[in-house]
Amino acid sequence: MTTLVSTTDTVTRDALAVLQPGFTGTTAPDWLRRRVGEGLASVGLFGRNIESPEQLAALTAQLRAERDDVLVAIDEEGGDVTRLEVRTGSSFPGNNALGSVDDVDLTRAVARELGRRLAECGVNLNWAPSADVNSNPGNPVIGVRSFGADTALVARHTAAYVEGLQAAGVAACTKHFPGHGDTAVDSHHAMPRIDVDLDTLHARELVPFRAAIAAGSKSVMSAHILLPALDPNRPATLSPQILTGLLRQELGYDGLIVTDGMEMDAIAGTYGIERGSVLAIAAGADAICVGGGLADEETVLRLRDALVAAVRSGELPEERLADAAARVRALASWTQRARGAASEPGADMQEGTAPGADSGIGLVAARRAVKVTGSAGPLTGPAYVAAFTPVANIAVGDETPWGVAEELARLVPGTGTDTYDGTEASTDQVLKAAGERRIVAVVRDAHRHAWMGEALDALVAARPDTIVVEMGLPKAPPRGALHIATHGAARVCGVAAAEAITGVGDV
């Protein structure tokens, strides 16, 4: 591809600096290392890039050999959304589990331990936490990624999470501004719209972001959502009224503004990624997140050249691009200082925790989040686990294992399992496969999927001793002789649920 200008040009370097691209593979490709050397200041990591902590540390070391202050970002919320443990499930419960416990010290400690692990692997920017108030229980993309539906609760836990993560030297990225909790559409697929008045937005959506700003959140991620009360024409990511007028001027935020993934259909399908990126920087964004789906050098060059062309044509003020690049570099400098401070002896160690050790705080938190309804006795013999599996949203992905079957099989030998979806959730199939074994039905957001509710009702009618484990939002009425709500599907949530089912462990 022919570039518009020399790669030593200041505008071109600034255009590279504002990009946060992804790539494929578990080592840094040559093209990425070359672009980092030319001015690319950030790189985004996804599950496809990670095999082990050791491999991840080697990868980030490769990048830092080109540029010591490079920002290495990741979407590591813990809970259902994990990249660090994409193949096994997370060692940390997600936001909804933490919100259900409502102990801000616990939330702060979980975030700090998660940050410690990221920093140990060389990651210094985390696209978390979600500060969305999940006011719409039918929300298809947020759900258990939110601390809850209560505004004040979400605000205090958002602040605690930011404090904990940044105490470990990892910059927080509070998302999805100005709030994705009242949507019924996934912005990965289309443009969500929130039709509420300004008073509601200020009293609900914006409160957690104010708390995050007060807590010192180093970055904020914009949402690809349309809020007519704020801007009837453009989604938040592309809106000067929202990013500059509201976030910068009204809320007084002075840190880095990062866009959500620009290849999501809410932007790519409406504006295109090149046009969308120009509009986002012009509106007040400082960094363009791209790479979840598009992860090649051509994408980086296309976006770089689109930004340079917009400056040359006068559509994008050169000072705005320079300001955005300066904010990226300022955050990079903070992470360098924070990395040094966090590595000082005893600076980030919980009592009794050695460097590199697992504090166990994730399992402690998952156990505290479990809610058991019903008085039936625990499982004492082999069980049959029927996992009713919905289609996962893109943010969660369908590659991360979830459920209770593996842990139950360990605790109770002879336990078996099968997976059912909406086309296969036949009561007769489950009863036949279970035989004499007690049935454990595992669901995720049963309130959002009518077929799950019907399957559970039929199973409980046929086998009243059925145990139901809800690993999504526990909004449906409890069913079964035992009903266990984990408030998330992280691996540790499955462990805690299995302990509750068997009466083994500390639940």
Coordinates of all heavy atoms in Angstrom, one line a residue, residues 308-404:
V308 N -4.6 10.9 8.6 CA -3.7 11.8 7.9 C -4.4 12.6 6.8 O -4.3 13.9 6.7 CB -2.5 11.1 7.4 CG1 -1.6 12.1 6.6 CG2 -1.7 10.5 8.5
A309 N -5.2 11.9 6.0 CA -5.9 12.6 4.9 C -6.9 13.6 5.5 O -7.1 14.7 4.9 CB -6.7 11.6 4.1
A310 N -7.6 13.3 6.6 CA -8.6 14.2 7.2 C -7.9 15.5 7.7 O -8.4 16.6 7.6 CB -9.3 13.5 8.3
V311 N -6.7 15.3 8.2 CA -5.9 16.5 8.7 C -5.5 17.3 7.5 O -5.6 18.6 7.5 CB -4.7 16.1 9.5 CG1 -3.7 17.3 9.7 CG2 -5.1 15.4 10.8
R312 N -5.0 16.7 6.4 CA -4.5 17.4 5.3 C -5.7 18.2 4.6 O -5.5 19.3 4.0 CB -3.9 16.4 4.3 CG -2.7 15.7 4.8 CD -1.5 16.6 5.1 NE -0.3 15.9 5.4 CZ 0.5 16.1 6.4 NH1 0.1 17.0 7.3 NH2 1.5 15.4 6.6
S313 N -6.9 17.6 4.7 CA -8.0 18.2 4.0 C -8.7 19.3 4.9 O -9.5 20.1 4.4 CB -9.1 17.2 3.6 OG -9.7 16.7 4.8
G314 N -8.3 19.4 6.1 CA -8.9 20.3 7.1 C -10.1 19.8 7.8 O -10.7 20.5 8.6
E315 N -10.5 18.6 7.5 CA -11.7 18.0 8.2 C -11.4 17.7 9.6 O -12.3 17.9 10.5 CB -12.2 16.7 7.5 CG -13.4 16.1 8.1 CD -13.7 14.8 7.5 OE1 -12.9 14.3 6.6 OE2 -14.8 14.2 7.8
L316 N -10.2 17.3 9.9 CA -9.8 17.0 11.3 C -8.7 18.0 11.7 O -7.6 18.0 11.1 CB -9.3 15.6 11.4 CG -8.7 15.1 12.7 CD1 -9.7 15.2 13.8 CD2 -8.1 13.7 12.6
P317 N -8.9 18.9 12.7 CA -7.9 19.8 13.0 C -6.6 19.1 13.5 O -6.7 18.1 14.3 CB -8.5 20.6 14.2 CG -10.0 20.5 14.0 CD -10.2 19.1 13.4
E318 N -5.5 19.5 13.0 CA -4.2 18.9 13.4 C -4.0 19.0 14.9 O -3.4 18.0 15.5 CB -3.0 19.6 12.6 CG -1.7 19.0 12.9 CD -0.6 19.6 12.0 OE1 -0.9 20.3 11.1 OE2 0.6 19.3 12.3
E319 N -4.4 20.1 15.5 CA -4.3 20.2 17.0 C -5.1 19.2 17.7 O -4.6 18.7 18.8 CB -4.7 21.6 17.4 CG -4.2 22.8 16.6 CD -5.0 23.0 15.3 OE1 -6.2 23.3 15.4 OE2 -4.3 22.9 14.3
R320 N -6.2 18.8 17.2 CA -7.0 17.8 17.9 C -6.4 16.4 17.8 O -6.3 15.7 18.8 CB -8.4 17.7 17.2 CG -9.3 16.5 17.6 CD -10.0 16.7 19.0 NE -9.1 16.3 20.1 CZ -9.1 15.1 20.6 NH1 -9.8 14.1 20.2 NH2 -8.2 14.9 21.6
L321 N -5.8 16.1 16.7 CA -5.0 14.8 16.5 C -3.8 14.8 17.4 O -3.5 13.8 18.1 CB -4.6 14.6 15.1 CG -3.8 13.3 14.8 CD1 -4.7 12.0 15.2 CD2 -3.4 13.2 13.4
A322 N -3.1 15.9 17.5 CA -1.9 16.1 18.3 C -2.3 15.9 19.8 O -1.6 15.3 20.6 CB -1.2 17.4 18.1
D323 N -3.4 16.5 20.2 CA -3.9 16.4 21.6 C -4.2 15.0 21.9 O -3.9 14.5 23.0 CB -5.1 17.3 21.8 CG -5.7 17.2 23.1 OD1 -5.1 17.5 24.1 OD2 -6.9 16.7 23.2
A324 N -4.9 14.3 21.0 CA -5.2 12.9 21.3 C -4.0 12.1 21.4 O -3.9 11.3 22.4 CB -6.1 12.4 20.1
A325 N -3.0 12.2 20.6 CA -1.8 11.5 20.6 C -1.0 11.8 21.9 O -0.4 10.9 22.6 CB -0.9 11.8 19.4
A326 N -1.0 13.1 22.4 CA -0.4 13.5 23.6 C -1.0 12.8 24.8 O -0.3 12.4 25.7 CB -0.4 15.0 23.8
R327 N -2.3 12.6 24.8 CA -3.0 11.9 25.9 C -2.6 10.4 25.9 O -2.5 9.8 27.0 CB -4.5 12.1 25.8 CG -5.0 13.5 26.0 CD -6.5 13.6 25.9 NE -6.9 15.0 26.0 CZ -7.2 15.7 27.1 NH1 -7.0 15.1 28.2 NH2 -7.5 17.0 27.0
V328 N -2.5 9.8 24.8 CA -2.0 8.4 24.7 C -0.6 8.3 25.3 O -0.4 7.4 26.2 CB -2.0 7.9 23.3 CG1 -1.4 6.5 23.2 CG2 -3.4 7.9 22.7
R329 N 0.3 9.2 24.9 CA 1.6 9.1 25.4 C 1.7 9.5 26.9 O 2.5 8.9 27.7 CB 2.5 10.1 24.6 CG 2.6 9.7 23.2 CD 3.3 10.7 22.3 NE 3.3 10.3 20.9 CZ 3.0 11.1 19.9 NH1 2.6 12.4 20.2 NH2 3.0 10.7 18.7
A330 N 0.8 10.4 27.4 CA 0.8 10.7 28.8 C 0.4 9.4 29.6 O 0.9 9.2 30.7 CB -0.2 11.8 29.1
L331 N -0.6 8.7 29.1 CA -1.0 7.5 29.8 C 0.1 6.4 29.8 O 0.4 5.8 30.8 CB -2.3 6.9 29.2 CG -2.8 5.6 29.9 CD1 -3.1 5.8 31.4 CD2 -4.0 5.0 29.2
A332 N 0.8 6.4 28.7 CA 1.9 5.4 28.6 C 3.0 5.8 29.7 O 3.6 4.9 30.3 CB 2.6 5.5 27.2
S333 N 3.2 7.1 29.8 CA 4.2 7.5 30.9 C 3.7 7.2 32.2 O 4.5 6.8 33.1 CB 4.4 9.0 30.7 OG 5.0 9.4 29.5
W334 N 2.4 7.3 32.5 CA 1.9 7.0 33.8 C 2.1 5.5 34.1 O 2.5 5.1 35.2 CB 0.4 7.3 33.9 CG -0.2 6.9 35.2 CD1 -0.2 7.6 36.4 CD2 -0.8 5.6 35.5 NE1 -0.8 6.9 37.4 CE2 -1.2 5.6 36.9 CE3 -1.1 4.4 34.8 CZ2 -1.8 4.6 37.5 CZ3 -1.7 3.4 35.4 CH2 -2.1 3.4 36.8
T335 N 1.9 4.6 33.1 CA 2.0 3.2 33.3 C 3.5 2.8 33.6 O 3.7 1.9 34.4 CB 1.5 2.4 32.1 OG1 2.3 2.7 30.9 CG2 0.0 2.6 31.8
Q336 N 4.4 3.5 33.0 CA 5.8 3.3 33.3 C 6.1 3.6 34.8 O 6.7 2.9 35.5 CB 6.7 4.1 32.4 CG 6.9 3.5 31.0 CD 8.0 4.3 30.3 OE1 8.0 5.5 30.2 NE2 9.0 3.6 29.8
R337 N 5.6 4.8 35.2 CA 5.8 5.2 36.6 C 5.1 4.2 37.6 O 5.7 3.8 38.6 CB 5.4 6.6 36.9 CG 6.1 7.7 36.1 CD 5.8 9.1 36.6 NE 4.4 9.4 36.4 CZ 3.8 9.9 35.3 NH1 4.5 10.1 34.3 NH2 2.5 10.2 35.3
A338 N 3.9 3.9 37.2 CA 3.1 3.0 38.1 C 3.7 1.6 38.1 O 3.7 0.9 39.2 CB 1.7 2.9 37.6
R339 N 4.3 1.1 37.0 CA 4.9 -0.2 37.0 C 6.1 -0.2 38.0 O 6.3 -1.1 38.7 CB 5.4 -0.5 35.6 CG 6.0 -1.9 35.4 CD 6.2 -2.1 33.9 NE 7.4 -1.4 33.4 CZ 7.5 -1.1 32.1 NH1 6.6 -1.4 31.2 NH2 8.6 -0.4 31.8
G340 N 6.9 0.9 38.0 CA 8.0 1.0 38.9 C 7.5 1.0 40.4 O 8.1 0.3 41.2
A341 N 6.5 1.8 40.6 CA 6.0 1.9 42.0 C 5.4 0.6 42.5 O 5.6 0.2 43.6 CB 4.9 3.0 42.1
A342 N 4.6 -0.1 41.6 CA 4.0 -1.4 42.0 C 5.0 -2.5 42.2 O 4.7 -3.4 42.9 CB 3.0 -1.8 41.0
S343 N 6.2 -2.4 41.6 CA 7.2 -3.4 41.7 C 8.1 -3.2 42.9 O 9.0 -4.1 43.2 CB 8.1 -3.5 40.5 OG 8.8 -2.3 40.3
E344 N 7.9 -2.1 43.7 CA 8.7 -2.0 44.9 C 8.4 -3.0 45.9 O 7.2 -3.5 46.0 CB 8.5 -0.6 45.5 CG 9.0 0.6 44.6 CD 8.7 1.9 45.1 OE1 8.0 2.0 46.2 OE2 9.0 2.9 44.5
P345 N 9.3 -3.5 46.7 CA 9.1 -4.6 47.6 C 7.9 -4.3 48.5 O 7.8 -3.2 49.2 CB 10.4 -4.6 48.4 CG 11.4 -4.1 47.5 CD 10.7 -3.0 46.7
G346 N 6.9 -5.2 48.5 CA 5.8 -5.1 49.4 C 4.7 -4.1 48.9 O 3.7 -3.9 49.6
A347 N 4.9 -3.4 47.8 CA 4.0 -2.4 47.4 C 2.6 -2.9 47.0 O 1.6 -2.2 47.3 CB 4.6 -1.6 46.1
D348 N 2.5 -4.1 46.5 CA 1.2 -4.5 46.1 C 0.9 -5.9 46.6 O 0.1 -6.7 45.9 CB 1.1 -4.5 44.5 CG -0.3 -4.8 44.0 OD1 -1.3 -4.2 44.7 OD2 -0.4 -5.5 43.1
M349 N 1.4 -6.3 47.7 CA 1.2 -7.7 48.2 C 0.2 -7.7 49.3 O 0.3 -6.9 50.2 CB 2.5 -8.3 48.7 CG 3.5 -8.5 47.6 SD 3.0 -9.8 46.5 CE 2.6 -8.9 45.0
Q350 N -0.8 -8.5 49.1 CA -1.7 -8.8 50.3 C -0.9 -9.6 51.3 O 0.0 -10.3 51.0 CB -2.9 -9.6 49.8 CG -3.8 -8.9 48.8 CD -4.9 -9.7 48.3 OE1 -5.6 -10.3 49.1 NE2 -5.1 -9.7 47.0
E351 N -1.3 -9.5 52.6 CA -0.6 -10.1 53.6 C -0.5 -11.6 53.4 O -1.5 -12.3 53.1 CB -1.3 -9.9 55.0 CG -0.5 -10.4 56.1 CD -1.2 -10.1 57.5 OE1 -2.2 -9.3 57.5 OE2 -0.7 -10.6 58.5
G352 N 0.7 -12.1 53.4 CA 0.9 -13.6 53.2 C 1.0 -14.0 51.8 O 1.0 -15.2 51.5
T353 N 1.0 -13.1 50.8 CA 1.0 -13.4 49.4 C 2.4 -13.1 48.8 O 2.9 -12.0 48.8 CB -0.1 -12.6 48.6 OG1 -1.3 -12.9 49.2 CG2 -0.1 -13.0 47.2
A354 N 3.0 -14.1 48.3 CA 4.3 -14.0 47.6 C 4.1 -13.6 46.2 O 3.1 -13.8 45.6 CB 5.1 -15.3 47.7
P355 N 5.1 -12.9 45.6 CA 5.1 -12.6 44.2 C 4.8 -13.8 43.3 O 5.4 -14.9 43.5 CB 6.4 -12.0 43.9 CG 6.9 -11.5 45.2 CD 6.4 -12.5 46.2
G356 N 3.8 -13.7 42.4 CA 3.5 -14.8 41.5 C 2.5 -15.8 42.1 O 2.0 -16.7 41.4
A357 N 2.1 -15.6 43.4 CA 1.2 -16.6 44.0 C -0.2 -16.2 43.8 O -0.6 -15.1 43.5 CB 1.5 -16.6 45.5
D358 N -1.1 -17.2 43.9 CA -2.5 -17.0 43.8 C -3.1 -16.8 45.2 O -3.0 -17.6 46.0 CB -3.2 -18.2 43.1 CG -4.7 -18.1 42.9 OD1 -5.2 -17.1 43.4 OD2 -5.3 -18.9 42.3
S359 N -3.7 -15.6 45.4 CA -4.2 -15.3 46.8 C -5.4 -16.0 47.1 O -5.8 -16.1 48.2 CB -4.4 -13.7 46.9 OG -5.6 -13.4 46.1
G360 N -6.1 -16.6 46.1 CA -7.4 -17.3 46.3 C -8.6 -16.3 46.5 O -9.7 -16.8 46.8
I361 N -8.4 -15.0 46.3 CA -9.4 -14.1 46.6 C -10.6 -14.2 45.6 O -11.8 -14.0 45.9 CB -8.9 -12.6 46.5 CG1 -9.9 -11.6 47.0 CG2 -8.4 -12.3 45.0 CD1 -10.2 -11.7 48.4
G362 N -10.3 -14.7 44.4 CA -11.4 -14.9 43.4 C -12.4 -16.0 43.9 O -13.6 -15.8 43.8
L363 N -11.9 -17.1 44.4 CA -12.8 -18.2 44.9 C -13.5 -17.7 46.1 O -14.7 -18.0 46.3 CB -12.0 -19.5 45.1 CG -12.8 -20.7 45.6 CD1 -13.9 -21.0 44.6 CD2 -11.9 -21.9 45.7
V364 N -12.8 -17.0 47.0 CA -13.5 -16.5 48.2 C -14.7 -15.6 47.8 O -15.8 -15.7 48.3 CB -12.5 -15.7 49.0 CG1 -13.2 -14.9 50.1 CG2 -11.4 -16.6 49.6
A365 N -14.5 -14.7 46.8 CA -15.5 -13.9 46.3 C -16.7 -14.6 45.7 O -17.8 -14.4 45.9 CB -15.0 -12.8 45.4
A366 N -16.3 -15.6 44.9 CA -17.3 -16.5 44.2 C -18.2 -17.2 45.2 O -19.4 -17.3 45.1 CB -16.7 -17.4 43.2
R367 N -17.6 -17.7 46.2 CA -18.3 -18.4 47.3 C -19.3 -17.5 48.0 O -20.4 -17.8 48.3 CB -17.4 -19.0 48.3 CG -16.6 -20.3 47.8 CD -15.5 -20.7 48.7 NE -14.9 -21.9 48.4 CZ -13.7 -22.3 48.8 NH1 -13.0 -21.5 49.6 NH2 -13.2 -23.5 48.4
R368 N -18.8 -16.3 48.3 CA -19.7 -15.3 48.9 C -20.9 -14.9 48.1 O -21.9 -14.5 48.6 CB -18.9 -14.1 49.4 CG -17.9 -14.4 50.5 CD -17.2 -13.2 51.0 NE -18.1 -12.1 51.5 CZ -17.7 -10.9 51.9 NH1 -16.4 -10.6 51.8 NH2 -18.6 -10.1 52.4
A369 N -20.7 -15.0 46.8 CA -21.8 -14.5 45.8 C -22.9 -15.6 45.6 O -23.9 -15.2 45.2 CB -21.1 -14.2 44.5
V370 N -22.6 -16.8 46.0 CA -23.6 -17.9 45.8 C -24.8 -17.7 46.7 O -24.7 -17.4 47.9 CB -23.0 -19.3 46.0 CG1 -24.0 -20.3 46.1 CG2 -22.0 -19.6 44.9
K371 N -26.0 -17.8 46.1 CA -27.3 -17.7 46.8 C -28.0 -19.0 46.6 O -28.3 -19.4 45.5 CB -28.1 -16.5 46.4 CG -29.4 -16.4 47.2 CD -30.2 -15.2 46.7 CE -31.5 -15.1 47.5 NZ -32.4 -14.0 47.1
V372 N -28.3 -19.7 47.7 CA -29.0 -21.0 47.6 C -30.4 -20.8 48.1 O -30.7 -20.3 49.2 CB -28.3 -22.1 48.5 CG1 -29.0 -23.4 48.4 CG2 -26.8 -22.2 48.0
T373 N -31.4 -21.3 47.3 CA -32.8 -21.3 47.7 C -33.3 -22.7 47.7 O -33.1 -23.5 46.8 CB -33.7 -20.5 46.7 OG1 -33.1 -19.1 46.6 CG2 -35.1 -20.4 47.1
G374 N -34.0 -23.1 48.7 CA -34.6 -24.4 48.9 C -33.9 -25.1 50.0 O -32.8 -24.8 50.5
S375 N -34.6 -26.2 50.5 CA -34.1 -26.9 51.7 C -33.8 -28.4 51.4 O -33.6 -29.1 52.4 CB -35.2 -26.8 52.8 OG -36.4 -27.4 52.3
A376 N -33.7 -28.8 50.2 CA -33.4 -30.2 49.8 C -32.0 -30.5 50.2 O -31.1 -29.6 50.3 CB -33.6 -30.4 48.3
G377 N -31.7 -31.7 50.5 CA -30.4 -32.1 50.9 C -29.4 -32.0 49.7 O -29.8 -31.9 48.6
P378 N -28.1 -32.0 50.1 CA -27.1 -31.9 49.0 C -27.0 -33.2 48.2 O -27.5 -34.3 48.6 CB -25.8 -31.7 49.8 CG -26.0 -32.4 51.1 CD -27.5 -32.2 51.4
L379 N -26.3 -33.1 47.1 CA -26.1 -34.2 46.2 C -25.1 -35.2 46.9 O -24.0 -34.8 47.4 CB -25.5 -33.7 44.9 CG -25.1 -34.7 43.8 CD1 -26.4 -35.3 43.2 CD2 -24.3 -34.1 42.7
T380 N -25.5 -36.5 46.9 CA -24.6 -37.5 47.5 C -24.1 -38.5 46.6 O -23.1 -39.3 46.9 CB -25.3 -38.1 48.7 OG1 -26.5 -38.7 48.2 CG2 -25.6 -37.1 49.8
G381 N -24.8 -38.7 45.4 CA -24.4 -39.7 44.5 C -24.2 -39.1 43.1 O -24.3 -37.8 42.9
P382 N -23.8 -39.9 42.1 CA -23.6 -39.3 40.8 C -24.8 -38.6 40.2 O -25.9 -38.9 40.5 CB -23.3 -40.6 39.9 CG -22.8 -41.6 40.9 CD -23.6 -41.3 42.2
A383 N -24.5 -37.5 39.5 CA -25.6 -36.7 38.9 C -25.5 -36.7 37.4 O -24.5 -37.1 36.8 CB -25.4 -35.2 39.5
Y384 N -26.5 -36.1 36.8 CA -26.5 -35.8 35.4 C -26.7 -34.3 35.2 O -27.7 -33.8 35.6 CB -27.6 -36.6 34.7 CG -27.7 -36.3 33.2 CD1 -26.7 -36.8 32.3 CD2 -28.7 -35.4 32.7 CE1 -26.7 -36.5 31.0 CE2 -28.7 -35.1 31.3 CZ -27.7 -35.6 30.5 OH -27.7 -35.3 29.1
V385 N -25.7 -33.7 34.6 CA -25.7 -32.3 34.4 C -26.3 -32.0 33.0 O -25.6 -32.3 32.0 CB -24.4 -31.6 34.6 CG1 -24.4 -30.1 34.4 CG2 -23.8 -31.9 36.0
A386 N -27.4 -31.3 32.9 CA -28.0 -30.9 31.6 C -27.7 -29.4 31.5 O -28.3 -28.6 32.2 CB -29.5 -31.1 31.6
A387 N -26.8 -29.0 30.6 CA -26.4 -27.6 30.4 C -27.2 -27.0 29.3 O -27.1 -27.4 28.2 CB -24.9 -27.5 30.1
F388 N -28.1 -26.1 29.6 CA -28.9 -25.4 28.6 C -28.2 -24.1 28.2 O -28.1 -23.2 28.9 CB -30.3 -25.1 29.2 CG -31.1 -26.3 29.6 CD1 -31.6 -26.5 30.9 CD2 -31.3 -27.3 28.7 CE1 -32.3 -27.6 31.2 CE2 -32.0 -28.4 29.0 CZ -32.5 -28.6 30.3
T389 N -27.7 -24.2 27.0 CA -26.7 -23.2 26.5 C -27.3 -22.2 25.5 O -27.6 -22.6 24.4 CB -25.5 -23.9 25.9 OG1 -25.0 -24.9 26.8 CG2 -24.4 -22.9 25.6
P390 N -27.4 -20.9 25.8 CA -27.8 -20.0 24.9 C -26.6 -19.5 24.0 O -25.5 -19.9 24.3 CB -28.3 -18.8 25.7 CG -27.4 -18.9 26.9 CD -27.1 -20.4 27.2
V391 N -26.9 -18.8 22.9 CA -25.8 -18.2 22.1 C -25.2 -17.1 22.9 O -25.8 -16.2 23.4 CB -26.4 -17.7 20.8 CG1 -25.3 -17.0 20.0 CG2 -27.1 -18.8 20.0
A392 N -23.9 -17.2 23.0 CA -23.1 -16.2 23.8 C -23.0 -14.9 23.0 O -22.9 -15.0 21.8 CB -21.7 -16.7 24.2
N393 N -23.0 -13.8 23.7 CA -22.8 -12.5 22.9 C -21.3 -12.4 22.6 O -20.4 -13.1 23.2 CB -23.3 -11.3 23.7 CG -22.5 -11.0 25.0 OD1 -21.3 -10.7 24.9 ND2 -23.1 -11.0 26.1
I394 N -21.0 -11.6 21.7 CA -19.6 -11.5 21.1 C -18.6 -11.1 22.2 O -17.4 -11.6 22.2 CB -19.5 -10.6 19.9 CG1 -20.3 -11.2 18.7 CG2 -18.1 -10.3 19.5 CD1 -20.4 -10.4 17.5
A395 N -19.0 -10.2 23.1 CA -18.1 -9.8 24.1 C -17.6 -10.9 25.0 O -16.5 -11.0 25.4 CB -18.7 -8.7 25.0
V396 N -18.5 -11.9 25.3 CA -18.2 -13.0 26.1 C -17.5 -14.1 25.3 O -16.5 -14.7 25.7 CB -19.5 -13.6 26.7 CG1 -19.2 -14.9 27.4 CG2 -20.1 -12.6 27.7
G397 N -18.0 -14.3 24.1 CA -17.5 -15.4 23.2 C -18.0 -16.8 23.6 O -18.4 -17.0 24.7
D398 N -17.9 -17.7 22.7 CA -18.3 -19.0 23.0 C -17.2 -20.0 23.2 O -17.4 -21.2 23.3 CB -19.3 -19.5 21.9 CG -18.6 -19.5 20.5 OD1 -17.4 -19.3 20.4 OD2 -19.3 -19.7 19.5
E399 N -16.0 -19.5 23.2 CA -14.8 -20.4 23.4 C -14.4 -20.7 24.8 O -13.7 -21.7 25.1 CB -13.6 -19.9 22.6 CG -13.0 -18.6 23.2 CD -13.6 -17.4 22.7 OE1 -14.8 -17.3 22.4 OE2 -12.8 -16.4 22.5
T400 N -15.0 -19.9 25.8 CA -14.6 -20.1 27.2 C -15.6 -21.1 27.8 O -16.8 -20.9 27.8 CB -14.7 -18.8 27.9 OG1 -13.8 -17.8 27.3 CG2 -14.2 -18.9 29.3
P401 N -15.0 -22.2 28.4 CA -15.9 -23.1 29.1 C -16.6 -22.5 30.3 O -16.1 -21.6 30.9 CB -14.9 -24.3 29.5 CG -13.6 -23.6 29.6 CD -13.6 -22.5 28.6
W402 N -17.8 -23.1 30.6 CA -18.5 -22.6 31.8 C -19.4 -23.7 32.2 O -19.6 -24.7 31.6 CB -19.4 -21.4 31.4 CG -20.5 -21.6 30.5 CD1 -20.4 -21.8 29.1 CD2 -21.9 -21.8 30.8 NE1 -21.7 -22.0 28.6 CE2 -22.6 -22.1 29.6 CE3 -22.6 -21.8 32.0 CZ2 -24.0 -22.3 29.5 CZ3 -24.0 -22.0 32.0 CH2 -24.6 -22.2 30.7
G403 N -19.9 -23.6 33.4 CA -20.8 -24.6 34.0 C -20.3 -25.2 35.3 O -19.3 -24.7 35.9
V404 N -20.9 -26.4 35.7 CA -20.5 -27.0 36.9 C -20.1 -28.5 36.7 O -19.7 -29.1 37.7 CB -21.6 -27.0 38.0 CG1 -22.0 -25.5 38.2 CG2 -22.9 -27.8 37.5

